[in-house]
């Protein structure tokens, strides 16, 4: 194995080292790029406010979340206890404490985080039954990048409180039940 074999051995070691480095470094870089593509919430520009005077009854609520970019979302209510659920596509809530949202003390509980890959969820426990008066996502004023998600909620009577049933009904992307046209074969 003369000098050519020695060179070949060193080249193979370098190639193996490079392959190992790329195997370890590329997923980390891809994760960093994926995180950069996620919208983030700006708590300094976000708030939860109650309208009107506190007279011991639930008041209309105004939720404004400022995000670094527009994202698809869906809004629905669940009962027992009454809660607002907002599912967001590609929002990274890490580093943003829900309790730090200005006005979070207006509701019994507020939490958010990753729900499933690519989706995040915000759950706001409500002081009673509510209805969605308005849901709007618009560009931030002044031409800055980002989006303002604005939800207006108003208290309603229990019989007007429209929910998705129970928490399990909030699951999605599940296959539809199959309909069988022929009976199952008998087993002996």
């Amino acid at each position: 194995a003369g000098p050519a074999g020695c060179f070949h051995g060193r080249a193979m070691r370098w190639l193996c080292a490079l392959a190992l480095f790329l195997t370890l470094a590329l997923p980390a870089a891809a994760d960093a790029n994926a995180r950069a593509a996620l919208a983030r919430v700006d708590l300094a520009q976000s708030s939860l406010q109650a309208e009107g005077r506190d007279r011991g009854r639930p008041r209309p609520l105004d939720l404004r979340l400022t995000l670094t970019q527009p994202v698809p979302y869906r809004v629905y209510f669940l009962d027992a206890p009454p809660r607002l659920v907002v599912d967001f596509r590609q929002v990274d809530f890490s580093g943003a404490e829900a309790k730090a949202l200005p006005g979070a003390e207006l509701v019994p509980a507020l939490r958010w985080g990753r729900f499933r890959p690519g989706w995040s969820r915000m759950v706001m426990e409500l002081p009673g039954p509510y209805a969605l008066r308005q849901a709007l996502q618009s560009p931030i004023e002044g031409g800055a990048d980002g989006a303002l998600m604005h939800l207006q909620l108003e208290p309603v009577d229990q019989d007007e409180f429209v929910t998705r049933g129970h928490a399990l009904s909030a699951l999605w992307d599940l296959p539809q039940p199959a309909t069988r046209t022929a009976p199952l074969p008998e087993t002996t």
Side-chain angles (χ1 to χ4, degrees):
C6 181
F7 174 76
H8 179 68
R10 276 190 246 155
M12 286 304 291
R13 280 193 295 266
W14 275 103
L15 283 175
C16 287
L18 179 62
L20 179 63
F21 172 77
L22 291 175
T23 301
L24 297 174
L26 287 179
D31 186 51
N33 287 340
R35 280 190 165 289
L38 297 177
R40 294 185 181 274
V41 65
D42 180 356
L43 289 179
Q45 300 298 316
S46 301
S47 67
L48 176 64
Q49 298 176 350
E51 299 173 9
R53 292 186 171 186
D54 185 1
R55 295 199 165 113
R57 297 185 324 230
R59 299 183 289 164
L61 297 173
D62 188 70
L63 175 66
R64 294 172 186 260
L65 286 180
T66 301
L67 304 171
T68 56
Q69 64 190 35
V71 295
Y73 67 95
R74 70 179 187 163
V75 179
Y76 54 95
F77 294 94
L78 295 173
D79 201 4
R83 23 197 214 286
L84 167 75
V85 179
V86 184
D87 291 332
F88 300 91
R89 179 82 176 147
Q90 304 289 354
V91 173
D92 180 9
F93 285 109
S94 63
E97 288 289 326
K99 293 176 186 173
L101 176 72
E105 70 280 355
L106 294 170
V107 293
L110 176 65
R111 57 194 173 277
W112 54 47
R114 184 175 176 201
F115 163 58
R116 54 182 292 164
W119 289 89
S120 302
R121 176 171 283 173
M122 179 186 77
V123 179
M124 181 187 306
E125 190 174 321
L126 300 168
Y130 275 77
L132 184 64
R133 184 182 343 156
Q134 178 182 6
L136 179 68
Q137 184 172 225
S138 59
I140 294 177
E141 293 180 17
D145 289 337
L148 173 65
M149 191 190 79
H150 184 197
L151 301 178
Q152 291 180 324
L153 309 172
E154 63 184 18
V156 295
D157 293 330
Q158 185 66 41
D159 60 334
E160 297 174 32
F161 185 47
V162 179
T163 68
R164 290 190 64 135
H166 54 81
L168 291 179
S169 70
L171 298 175
W172 63 25
D173 292 342
L174 296 177
Q176 294 297 317
T179 307
R180 295 207 44 98
T181 56
L184 292 173
E186 290 186 31
T187 58
T188 55

